[in-house]
Amino acid sequence: MKLNIAVLPGDGIGPEISRQGVAALRAVAHKFGHALTFREALCGAAAIDATGDPFPEETFRTCREADAVFFSAVGDPKYDHNPAARVRPEQGLLAMRKKLGLYANIRPVRTFECLVHRSPLKDELVRGADFVCIRELTGGMYFGEKKEGEDEAYDTNRYTRHEVERILRVAYDYARRRRRHLTVVDKANVLASSRLWRRVAQQLAPEYADVETDFMYVDNAAMRMIQDPRFFDVIVTENTFGDILTDEGSCISGSMGLLPSASTGSGTPLFEPIHGSWPEAAGKNIANPLAQILSAAMLLEHFGLTAEGDLIRRAVDASLASGVRTPDIQTPGGQAYGTEEVGQWIADWIAAND
Ligand code: IPM
Ligand code: MN
């Protein structure tokens, strides 16, 4: 298969983990005889510094012309501590999602047996947890009408039936490929937008009678997720709730550095770790590349390359089992490996195994 991949390393630890993700993709391509081409483009703070725009037109063109976007992270503290900054790196990410029409963000949450002890939650509680959070990505408060005045500010949590229905359908399709259990998370006891979500879901449910649909308020879901994570199979929720719940979900895996994600919709699909740019760690060769490498597996699987994705997943499992781990997931007393060493080990393992 021929795939053109737009590589957007972004800021902070982005470039370091991006290199390791690309190395895994190259190793797999070599093994299976696929022709992958990579084109790098600027985004985030790096793009603001170079062009004044966090998602420049040229980057948009590179993404639009590609078959997939392989994204890392954006964000820089020099903008975080400056509420007056006119442009922020995060706007680049939001513009990219919107312009590429990426309305469905797929965030799998699972445990790795050998890392169960890393979770702040009790082993017996998280062991075997395995669910997918489908987060709506181009609507809600992130994109609704805003006002930012001196003494008054607001964000509007607007959703249309069309937006709700299409994301619910994505979630139902996922549920059908999994354990056929969908939990719709909302705040329908308070929010009008949530009541629209619930109404649309109730209308769609009979079409998916083979899937068990239940409804949960977001406050309750936040509690349930750490009390009984195995309850969930597929969660679907709006943009803001999904943002918050998936950070919480990373506690189940034990490290933010382990969770990949895919964003799909009408334009070029995008694959990225769920974590941010961790500026304090930039250039130190300590960031965990696994979320990025697992995002490479999701990319391949998106194009039906399941054996290829599986090889990456097995390489990741092998690295964990061999103790080749970055400091965030190393066992006490174990030697910690660098970003580069873990990435290289995984690429070598891919080259040496079928
Ligand atoms: C995420 C991030 C982004 C979001 C930020 C960086 C804009 O937290 O992808 O979850 O809020 O969507
Ligand atoms: Mn987030």
Side-chain angles (χ1 to χ4, degrees):
M1 185 180 281
K2 271 193 186 153
L3 289 175
N4 291 320
I5 300 173
V7 178
L8 277 54
D11 308 321
I13 57 168
E16 293 164 66
I17 57 170
S18 177
R19 271 195 293 280
Q20 304 317 319
V22 170
L25 283 170
R26 282 192 199 282
V28 171
H30 184 73
K31 168 135 278 175
F32 287 82
H34 299 304
L36 303 191
T37 50
F38 300 92
R39 259 176 81 191
E40 256 196 46
L42 287 172
C43 69
I48 299 177
D49 293 345
T51 72
D53 181 346
F55 187 59
E57 201 49 37
E58 194 184 326
T59 301
F60 178 39
R61 206 174 324 117
T62 304
C63 293
R64 219 179 32 203
E65 288 166 5
D67 297 302
V69 180
F70 196 51
F71 179 88
S72 297
V74 290
D76 190 297
K78 72 180 176 214
Y79 299 95
D80 291 346
H81 304 307
N82 177 12
R86 268 193 336 103
V87 282
R88 304 175 162 277
E90 289 80 0
Q91 285 167 350
L93 183 57
L94 302 185
M96 178 166 68
R97 291 171 178 169
K98 195 70 173 178
K99 286 183 156 180
L100 295 174
L102 303 173
Y103 59 81
N105 184 212
I106 319 295
R107 297 188 164 183
V109 175
R110 53 168 284 218
T111 51
F112 294 81
E113 185 48 40
C114 63
L115 292 178
V116 161
H117 66 282
R118 290 291 319 176
S119 171
L121 304 172
K122 291 196 182 76
D123 291 15
E124 64 270 24
L125 206 129
V126 293
R127 180 167 284 122
D130 173 11
F131 61 88
V132 180
C133 187
I134 314 269
R135 167 187 175 195
E136 200 289 328
L137 204 57
T138 52
M141 269 196 282
Y142 276 65
F143 295 96
E145 190 199 322
K146 290 175 192 294
K147 174 181 171 180
E148 200 159 347
E150 234 348 83
D151 301 307
E152 186 198 29
Y154 57 77
D155 305 275
T156 317
N157 200 29
R158 177 174 181 274
Y159 269 105
T160 63
R161 169 178 292 273
H162 168 69
E163 288 171 319
V164 176
E165 184 174 329
R166 69 182 175 182
I167 190 74
L168 284 169
R169 290 197 187 278
V170 171
Y172 271 119
D173 286 341
Y174 258 84
R176 279 191 163 155
R177 281 181 272 137
R178 294 176 49 95
R179 301 191 299 276
R180 295 175 184 263
H181 175 200
L182 178 67
T183 304
V184 181
V185 171
D186 62 27
K187 187 73 186 170
N189 49 347
V190 177
L191 303 176
S193 50
S194 281
R195 285 192 286 275
L196 174 68
W197 272 72
R198 205 170 266 224
R199 229 173 16 251
V200 176
Q202 281 162 344
Q203 286 160 2
L204 281 193
E207 264 188 64
Y208 300 90
D210 53 321
V211 175
E212 183 192 341
T213 306
D214 48 36
F215 297 89
M216 205 180 276
Y217 296 142
V218 64
D219 45 354
N220 186 229
M223 185 174 71
R224 194 78 189 256
M225 193 180 278
I226 50 169
Q227 219 172 35
D228 182 19
R230 280 177 300 230
F231 169 81
F232 297 104
D233 177 22
V234 178
I235 292 175
V236 65
T237 191
E238 59 141 271
N239 206 344
T240 308
F241 297 163
D243 178 47
I244 298 167
L245 288 178
T246 50
D247 264 33
E248 187 189 357
S250 72
C251 292
I252 293 167
S253 294
S255 169
M256 285 279 272
L258 294 168
L259 297 187
S261 80
S263 299
T264 61
S266 52
T268 315
L270 177 140
F271 303 85
E272 59 166 321
I274 81 150
H275 61 70
S277 61
W278 197 16
E280 301 77 18
K284 295 191 179 150
N285 194 35
I286 55 171
N288 191 338
L290 295 188
Q292 182 84 62
I293 291 172
L294 290 167
S295 299
M298 287 188 86
L299 185 158
L300 296 166
E301 285 157 0
H302 176 87
F303 292 98
L305 304 175
T306 34
E308 290 81 343
D310 189 56
L311 187 59
I312 292 189
R313 291 180 191 281
R314 283 188 290 123
V316 166
D317 288 341
S319 73
L320 292 171
S322 306
V324 180
R325 308 177 185 184
T326 43
D328 56 312
I329 53 171
Q330 191 48 282
T331 43
Q335 179 202 339
Y337 290 77
T339 312
E340 179 94 37
E341 288 68 42
V342 172
Q344 188 61 51
W345 193 96
I346 287 174
D348 291 345
W349 194 94
I350 291 169
N353 291 272
D354 289 309

